Amino acid sequence: MILTNYYIKKKINSLAKQAPFREHSYCALQQAQDVLLVYSAEDREQIRECIEKLRDQGKNVYGCMYLPTGKPYETDTTHLQVKEETDTDLFLLPKGEVMAKFKELPADILIDLSRSSEYAMHYLVLSHSALLKVGKKHGERAMHDISLLVGPEDNVGELFDHIVFYLQTIRGK
């Protein structure tokens, strides 16, 4: 049961205000070794293609998948799974053990492909220490170092292709 989205939105907004002041590095995709994908279970099939594209470039790919209410845990994945029913509290904040596991995932670049209504994932993304965070802009909040304005949420593959394009054009140090 979720009481309200108010509290988690307030926490996300607080973390988003601090985001521009955190330490970050605009590394090129070619320089990154570890890439962390944050995504929804609803987009799992499209994400498989994204993972293959990154692995073809020699990247270590890690993942964190959001499972909305009513969706069972996936048994054929090694990615961290955040199930809304059991891994978040009444205010949709991720529980301590989930936060710890997420923060342990290595990431030179964090690619956020989560949906705008997945507040627990936004909170996790803002809490991670990745050098560079990239994703779709959600509302007025700037949660990422690079935020893209693109079409509807249902085309994760297109969003991913845009992100990879921009990451390949960044000049590294």
Side-chain angles (χ1 to χ4, degrees):
M1 178 176 104
I2 302 166
L3 288 179
T4 179
N5 292 335
Y6 173 79
Y7 296 105
I8 192 162
K9 285 181 180 178
K10 188 174 179 181
K11 292 265 190 189
I12 290 168
N13 286 333
S14 175
L15 286 174
K17 287 178 185 174
Q18 298 169 14
F21 306 108
R22 72 175 189 84
E23 185 177 332
H24 59 272
S25 172
Y26 289 101
C27 64
L29 184 60
Q30 295 82 352
Q31 295 173 308
Q33 187 170 4
D34 299 316
V35 178
L36 173 57
L37 291 175
V38 176
Y39 61 95
S40 176
E42 297 172 23
D43 301 320
R44 187 162 186 243
E45 293 307 314
Q46 293 178 20
I47 295 297
R48 283 186 182 153
E49 294 173 21
C50 301
I51 291 170
E52 287 307 312
K53 288 178 184 178
L54 290 171
R55 287 194 176 139
D56 288 345
Q57 295 182 27
K59 307 300 174 203
N60 299 322
V61 182
Y62 302 90
C64 182
M65 178 172 51
Y66 182 74
L67 299 160
T69 301
K71 195 103 164 118
Y73 283 109
E74 301 285 337
T75 56
D76 63 339
T77 184
T78 58
H79 291 180
L80 176 63
Q81 298 177 59
V82 179
K83 190 171 184 182
E84 185 178 291
E85 296 168 351
T86 57
D87 297 329
T88 62
D89 63 17
L90 290 173
F91 302 110
L92 273 180
L93 291 167
K95 293 183 178 176
E97 59 272 10
V98 173
M99 287 290 297
K101 287 178 184 176
F102 184 76
K103 287 182 177 183
E104 288 175 4
L105 293 172
D108 297 319
I109 298 175
L110 185 152
I111 299 176
D112 180 11
L113 300 171
S114 64
R115 295 171 179 245
S116 59
S117 61
E118 296 172 347
Y119 301 114
M121 301 310 277
H122 299 241
Y123 186 81
L124 287 170
V125 166
L126 285 164
S127 301
H128 199 278
S129 63
L131 296 175
L132 179 64
K133 298 177 186 177
V134 184
K136 181 177 180 179
K137 186 169 184 176
H138 298 287
E140 295 300 313
R141 270 184 258 131
M143 296 182 1
H144 312 99
D145 301 313
I146 301 172
S147 293
L148 303 176
L149 290 171
V150 292
E153 288 186 356
D154 58 348
N155 197 340
V156 172
E158 183 179 320
L159 173 60
F160 178 80
D161 290 341
H162 283 293
I163 289 171
V164 168
F165 172 77
Y166 286 111
L167 290 175
Q168 289 173 334
T169 60
I170 294 174
R171 288 192 181 149
K173 295 178 183 178

